[in-house]
């Protein structure tokens, strides 16, 4: 599966979480003995499903090359839109959270680097916990905080002891992939590479769901996350080069979280789990795979 096909699986995963049922005329579904719904999509969508498109021009643009500080971005780490149209953006280099009105006008900036109650020890991840309530995960200080969209701190909870007791620290370079509106965290970290021969190794990534109440974590196991080609260097030693054509994964965390969808690039399917970690659905696609030629690699 190519990177382009992986993006297609990501889009399909989003569709699963929005509608939860196959589009009429595009798929059929069965139910196996374990109560898992299996959905297989055809090679092409029906004519009725081809009306969705993206406009050529954006409806709104926020950001400038030269202007006032709130409109200058070095790294957009996370972003979302509130029901009233306001847009919340996390600036990854300064650890700031910036709120803009529906027409792109800056309203407030809060947060920043540090260990204080209203500071962050790393680029924060955000989710909506209500129409005007922002849930913020601080990965550096291991804290969950609630803010209103005016930037006022409403509450805060430290979960470092919970994380330590659940053994999440075993994952090197671990990070929070997504955060749900109830405070559940989808944690991810790389596992050991798996040799596939020919000087290459598959990179595996493990996903773990940490429920908001701090109960037992749900470990979804390793998924293929890419491939590294090892090249021998002059004078000895090796260098690893990521393969841009290697299969990868996509993941979507539902809002409850009642559903977690993970694309399995090795099996050419999307696996949908409930908030308790139980496999509920398997979505499989029957699509023509694009052959990777020598000229493409060159």
């Amino acid at each position: 599966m190519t990177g382009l096909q992986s993006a297609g699986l990501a889009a399909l995963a989003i569709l699963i979480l929005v509608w939860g049922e196959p589009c009429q005329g595009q798929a059929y579904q069965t139910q196996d003995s374990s109560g898992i719904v299996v959905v297989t999509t055809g090679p092409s969508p029906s004519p009725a499903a081809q009306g969705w498109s993206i406009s050529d021009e954006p409806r709104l643009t926020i950001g400038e090359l030269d202007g006032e500080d709130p409109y200058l971005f070095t790294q957009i780490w996370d972003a979302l839109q509130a029901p009233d149209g306001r847009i919340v953006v996390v600036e990854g280099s300064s650890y700031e959270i910036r709120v803009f009105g529906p027409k792109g006008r800056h309203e407030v900036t809060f947060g920043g680097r540090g260990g204080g109650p209203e500071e962050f020890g790393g680029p924060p991840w955000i989710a909506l916990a209500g129409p005007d309530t922002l849930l913020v995960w601080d990965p550096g200080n291991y804290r969950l905080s609630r803010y209103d969209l005016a930037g006022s701190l409403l509450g805060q909870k430290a979960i470092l002891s919970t994380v330590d007791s659940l053994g999440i620290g075993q994952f090197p370079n671990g990070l929070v992939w997504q955060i749900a509106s109830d405070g559940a965290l989808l944690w991810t970290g790389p596992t050991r590479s798996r040799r596939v021969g020919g000087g290459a190794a598959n990179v595996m990534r493990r996903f773990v769901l940490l429920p908001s109440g701090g109960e037992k974590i749900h470990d979804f196991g390793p998924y293929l996350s890419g491939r590294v080609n090892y090249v021998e260097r002059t004078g000895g030693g090796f260098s690893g080069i990521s393969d841009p054509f290697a299969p990868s994964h996509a993941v979507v965390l539902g809002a409850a979280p009642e559903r977690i969808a993970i694309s399995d690039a090795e099996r050419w399917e999307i696996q949908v789990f409930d908030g308790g970690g139980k496999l509920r659905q398997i979505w499989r696609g029957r699509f023509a795979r694009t052959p990777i030629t020598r000229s493409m690699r060159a």
Side-chain angles (χ1 to χ4, degrees):
M1 179 167 53
T2 67
L4 180 60
Q5 290 166 331
S6 298
L9 277 182
L12 181 55
I14 294 173
L15 291 177
I16 291 172
L17 295 179
V18 173
W19 286 292
E21 297 294 339
C23 299
Q24 186 175 5
Q26 288 183 243
Y28 61 87
Q29 67 179 42
T30 61
Q31 189 164 345
D32 71 4
S33 59
S34 301
I36 301 172
V37 176
V38 179
V39 181
T40 303
T41 61
S44 61
S46 64
Q50 295 180 350
W52 185 82
S53 63
I54 299 176
S55 63
D56 294 332
E57 298 295 330
R59 293 174 54 188
L60 177 66
T61 300
I62 299 175
E64 300 173 357
L65 295 177
D66 184 17
E68 299 179 19
D69 287 347
Y71 300 94
L72 302 179
F73 297 98
T74 301
Q75 180 188 30
I76 296 179
W77 182 260
D78 200 1
L80 57 80
Q81 186 171 28
D84 64 2
R86 280 185 285 182
I87 298 171
V88 186
V89 182
V90 176
E91 166 52 46
S93 62
S94 63
Y95 305 171
E96 294 177 343
I97 297 177
R98 304 175 186 177
V99 181
F100 299 86
K103 295 184 178 181
R105 182 177 178 273
H106 176 254
E107 294 185 355
V108 65
T109 294
F110 59 96
R113 292 174 176 263
E118 299 184 49
E119 297 174 325
F120 306 120
W125 297 83
I126 58 176
L128 284 174
D132 56 0
T133 303
L134 197 64
L135 189 64
V136 181
W137 163 247
D138 177 355
N141 296 315
Y142 289 89
R143 291 188 303 219
L144 278 172
S145 305
R146 290 178 182 267
Y147 290 84
D148 62 24
L149 292 184
S152 298
L153 180 63
L154 305 177
Q156 199 165 70
K157 177 175 67 173
I159 64 168
L160 179 58
S161 59
T162 302
V163 171
D164 284 343
S165 66
L166 293 175
I168 292 182
Q170 66 180 293
F171 301 111
N173 302 320
L175 55 87
V176 171
W177 189 271
Q178 292 181 25
I179 180 173
S181 60
D182 68 345
L185 305 174
L186 186 63
W187 199 284
T188 180
T191 62
R192 291 183 178 179
S193 299
R194 195 167 65 193
R195 295 279 181 175
V196 295
N202 285 339
V203 179
M204 310 301 292
R205 183 169 288 274
R206 184 175 297 274
F207 293 100
V208 173
L209 180 67
L210 175 62
S212 59
E215 306 94 39
K216 182 180 178 181
I217 64 174
H218 304 296
D219 188 345
F220 299 102
Y223 286 81
L224 186 61
S225 180
R227 181 171 296 158
V228 174
N229 297 313
Y230 291 95
V231 180
E232 187 173 0
R233 303 176 62 181
T234 303
F238 293 87
S239 293
I241 302 175
S242 297
D243 186 346
F245 298 101
S248 187
H249 66 267
V251 60
V252 178
L253 177 62
E258 293 178 351
R259 293 188 178 182
I260 300 95
I262 306 175
S263 67
D264 188 332
E266 293 183 292
R267 294 183 176 88
W268 191 244
E269 65 185 25
I270 297 174
Q271 299 163 1
V272 185
F273 302 85
D274 63 19
K278 181 176 176 59
L279 180 62
R280 294 296 187 181
Q281 293 179 335
I282 297 175
W283 291 66
R284 293 173 178 151
R286 291 180 176 174
F287 306 101
R289 306 193 184 193
T290 303
I292 306 301
T293 64
R294 286 181 175 270
S295 62
M296 288 180 180
R297 290 189 175 276

